[in-house]
Amino acid sequence: MAYAQNFIAVLFISFTFVSTSFSQSILGISPQLLDLFAINRVFRHRKIPKDNALYCDSWRFTVETNNAGLWSIIPERCISFVQEYTTGDRYSSDSAAVADLSLAFANTVKVSNDGMDAWVFDIDETLLSNLPYYVEHGFGSQIFDENAFDKWVNEANAPAIPASLKLYKELQQRGFTIFLLTGRSEYQRNNTEKNMVHAGYSNWERLILRGPSDKGKLATQYKSEKRKELEDEGYRIRGNSGDQWSDLMGFAVAQRSFKLPNPMYYIA
């Protein structure tokens, strides 16, 4: 698209080596690079009109509160707004606020020694950020291309969301058993595990992906069924973190559910 030709995307991703010999990748945008993402500098000739900024901020609010219902692409007038939000301070701040509230709740849970107090995490836009992919695909303004996204998943280079990585480790230290419940498919297991370790995650109890019998199911049904299976095994699902309402709703819901921001796409 025309706007993509003029857009200079710069992501500062830090890599540090951990004892497992994997490098740890965390999504980070340095203060020096934030100016490159500012709309009034990168898109000086396409600065968001005040009425568009107000409209798009309200549109994002309806998305995050699930009032928008089913939608497939972001409004064309909100492309620059979503770009600015996801690459700027607000997305990081919103994600950190959710993580802080999640940890505050976790601190109220009396975690037993039986290993049955569970926390469920989604992966995409919850633990890992696919922003490098969406920089190249219009920040949600293009119809989802499953083949292109699968190719990105196979690269196993999605960085961690810093606030989520911190929360993940804090929960482990407090004795929660971690389950990863993703809409990715079973054939993506190896690359998903590789990416998770590369991004700094480790020691989860189980990675749950869609199998052949889950094909065609709405995410709400699929994830509810998998949570019910955990409950049937005796696990107490204390917390659940996801960027989609379909990660959190349905049946067999957690004691507390926490919604991370995502104005780029919607999954029913």
Side-chain angles (χ1 to χ4, degrees):
M1 297 180 70
Y3 72 88
Q5 296 173 357
N6 296 321
F7 174 59
I8 302 175
V10 183
L11 290 176
F12 177 78
I13 300 179
S14 63
F15 295 91
T16 59
F17 289 95
V18 294
S19 60
T20 58
S21 80
F22 286 94
S23 62
Q24 179 173 318
S25 170
I26 302 179
L27 180 69
I29 302 173
S30 69
Q32 294 80 7
L33 295 180
L34 283 175
D35 281 349
L36 292 177
F37 288 119
I39 294 297
N40 63 343
R41 291 182 172 86
V42 178
F43 285 105
R44 190 177 297 276
H45 63 293
R46 291 187 61 196
K47 186 175 180 181
I48 304 174
K50 184 176 181 180
D51 59 339
N52 270 7
L54 182 61
Y55 168 86
C56 294
D57 200 24
S58 295
W59 170 81
R60 188 183 71 84
F61 174 77
T62 67
V63 166
E64 300 299 357
T65 55
N66 205 29
N67 289 315
L70 181 65
W71 57 278
S72 57
I73 58 175
I74 66 173
E76 184 176 358
R77 66 190 289 190
C78 296
I79 294 172
S80 294
F81 175 89
V82 172
Q83 178 230 325
E84 182 179 35
Y85 173 79
T86 54
T87 60
D89 287 336
R90 289 186 63 191
Y91 175 76
S92 297
S93 178
D94 289 350
S95 299
V98 176
D100 289 345
L101 291 170
S102 302
L103 186 58
F105 163 71
N107 287 335
T108 69
V109 177
K110 294 182 179 179
V111 180
S112 67
N113 295 323
D114 61 6
M116 303 305 285
D117 291 299
W119 199 287
V120 176
F121 281 99
D122 172 54
I123 291 181
D124 295 299
E125 272 58 67
T126 299
L127 295 178
L128 298 179
S129 171
N130 295 303
L131 185 57
Y133 170 85
Y134 282 101
V135 163
E136 301 297 328
H137 292 83
F139 295 94
S141 64
Q142 302 173 12
I143 295 295
F144 181 69
D145 184 335
E146 186 173 357
N147 291 331
F149 187 75
D150 284 353
K151 183 178 179 180
W152 159 251
V153 169
N154 289 340
E155 293 176 7
N157 285 325
I161 296 174
S164 295
L165 178 58
K166 181 180 178 182
L167 172 64
Y168 181 97
K169 293 184 175 181
E170 292 278 4
L171 292 175
Q172 285 184 321
Q173 291 175 5
R174 285 159 174 75
F176 288 92
T177 298
I178 305 296
F179 290 92
L180 309 180
L181 176 52
T182 175
R184 295 185 181 191
S185 297
E186 184 61 41
Y187 68 86
Q188 296 170 313
R189 177 176 295 276
N190 289 342
N191 286 325
T192 298
E193 291 179 339
K194 177 182 177 181
N195 197 158
M196 290 291 292
V197 172
H198 178 71
Y201 297 98
S202 62
N203 299 320
W204 55 83
E205 179 69 17
R206 194 180 308 166
L207 169 60
I208 304 169
L209 304 101
R210 283 183 183 262
S213 63
D214 302 312
K215 186 176 181 180
K217 292 180 181 177
L218 292 177
T220 303
Q221 178 186 357
Y222 155 68
K223 293 201 169 186
S224 293
E225 290 175 352
K226 296 305 179 183
R227 290 194 303 268
K228 182 62 167 61
E229 291 176 9
L230 294 179
E231 288 187 342
D232 289 345
E233 293 178 36
Y235 287 101
R236 300 176 290 273
I237 304 177
R238 300 299 196 179
N240 186 10
S241 300
D243 67 294
Q244 300 290 319
W245 285 100
S246 55
D247 297 331
L248 313 173
M249 299 173 65
F251 55 91
V253 297
Q255 183 178 346
R256 281 289 306 275
S257 296
F258 296 90
K259 168 75 168 63
L260 281 83
N262 183 0
M264 295 185 295
Y265 59 85
Y266 175 87
I267 300 175

